[in-house]
Amino acid sequence: MTEHERKVRAEQRERFDFAVIAGWIPPGERVLDLGCGDGRLLRYLRETRDVSGYGVEIDRDSILGCLRNGVDVIQMNIDSGLSGFEDDSFNHVIISQALQTMRATEHILSEMLRVGEEAVVSFPNFAYRGNRSAIAAGHMPVSEDLPYDWFDTPNVRFFTIVDFEDLCARLDIEIRERLAFDEMGRQVENDPNLNGSLAFYRLGRRA
């Protein structure tokens, strides 16, 4: 695959991810996007769902990208928590394919549901059959959803759908909806922990 083809596939995958998340965001909401990168998701939600809100990012180049995309961004370390935000400040707090790069996973999930009415989380499923095959062959997996080589990956946590749901149960977080997709973007119903490459969750506080 050429560099151009990889870029096109990545852009198609990104638009797909954004559309899945947008399906859970009612129009006009206040949204906080954690680890927002250059702000493209928040810009997409603003254009398609008329949301308002902020991105949170620590990388300087990404922050400049947010400014170019017209996205309000706050520079802060998410691992340190969201103490700058009051309880229930947002309708939805999103962390899209960035939770695996965080160290304080439990604290982040709890903070998301403190400052937001609901949380939306997406992450690559390390137990996906393609990843298992790579490990069985003696290599760390590299795929569209895990696109980094082992020596330059920003990921510090490798976890599965089952691991994540176990953690939600331990933190008394309610899983309100789950969607899983394979690398072709097809929704997976049968054994998502094996057949799902990318997982999306809509989470809430238990009553």
Side-chain angles (χ1 to χ4, degrees):
M1 184 181 296
T2 67
E3 184 64 31
H4 174 71
E5 289 172 332
R6 279 194 292 269
K7 184 177 180 181
V8 169
R9 288 288 296 273
E11 290 174 351
Q12 291 172 339
R13 190 68 165 173
E14 181 180 81
R15 287 195 296 272
F16 165 77
D17 296 348
F18 291 178
V20 173
I21 292 171
W24 285 336
I25 309 297
E29 283 203 337
R30 281 182 55 78
V31 172
L32 183 67
D33 183 14
L34 304 180
C36 67
D38 64 6
R40 278 180 287 187
L41 171 57
L42 202 53
R43 185 184 68 180
Y44 177 89
L45 293 174
R46 186 181 62 206
E47 293 172 349
T48 62
R49 309 302 285 166
D50 193 30
V51 306
S52 60
Y54 299 92
V56 176
E57 182 55 63
I58 193 169
D59 178 72
R60 183 177 179 275
D61 289 338
S62 294
I63 290 170
L64 293 175
C66 286
L67 298 177
R68 286 192 293 270
N69 280 316
V71 168
D72 293 326
V73 61
I74 298 169
Q75 185 174 23
M76 62 185 295
N77 184 354
I78 302 166
D79 275 319
S80 299
L82 303 173
S83 59
F85 299 102
E86 297 182 357
D87 295 358
D88 296 317
S89 300
F90 299 90
N91 302 111
H92 275 91
V93 181
I94 301 168
I95 187 162
S96 173
Q97 298 195 56
L99 190 63
Q100 70 275 9
T101 69
M102 305 297 162
R103 297 187 181 277
T105 309
E106 296 179 52
H107 185 52
I108 290 167
L109 290 172
S110 297
E111 281 285 87
M112 290 174 74
L113 288 170
R114 178 185 67 80
V115 304
E117 297 168 7
E118 281 194 345
V120 172
V121 177
S122 68
F123 58 86
N125 173 34
F126 198 65
Y128 176 55
R129 62 168 64 247
N131 299 334
R132 299 187 194 196
S133 295
I135 292 171
H139 297 281
M140 288 295 288
V142 177
S143 67
E144 288 191 15
D145 294 319
L146 288 168
Y148 300 97
D149 289 305
W150 66 269
F151 51 84
D152 67 353
T153 179
N155 300 327
V156 297
R157 308 285 185 214
F158 294 95
F159 55 95
T160 72
I161 285 174
V162 170
D163 289 329
F164 183 75
E165 293 186 2
D166 285 347
L167 178 60
C168 288
R170 189 155 66 85
L171 297 177
D172 202 29
I173 291 174
E174 178 186 9
I175 296 174
R176 296 180 175 171
E177 194 170 352
R178 179 192 70 199
L179 296 172
F181 299 88
D182 66 16
E183 283 192 287
M184 300 301 293
R186 298 171 298 206
Q187 187 171 347
V188 172
E189 299 287 351
N190 179 43
D191 196 355
N193 197 52
L194 174 65
N195 298 314
S197 176
L198 190 63
F200 295 79
Y201 284 83
R202 187 169 64 90
L203 308 174
R205 291 167 285 194
R206 293 196 184 276

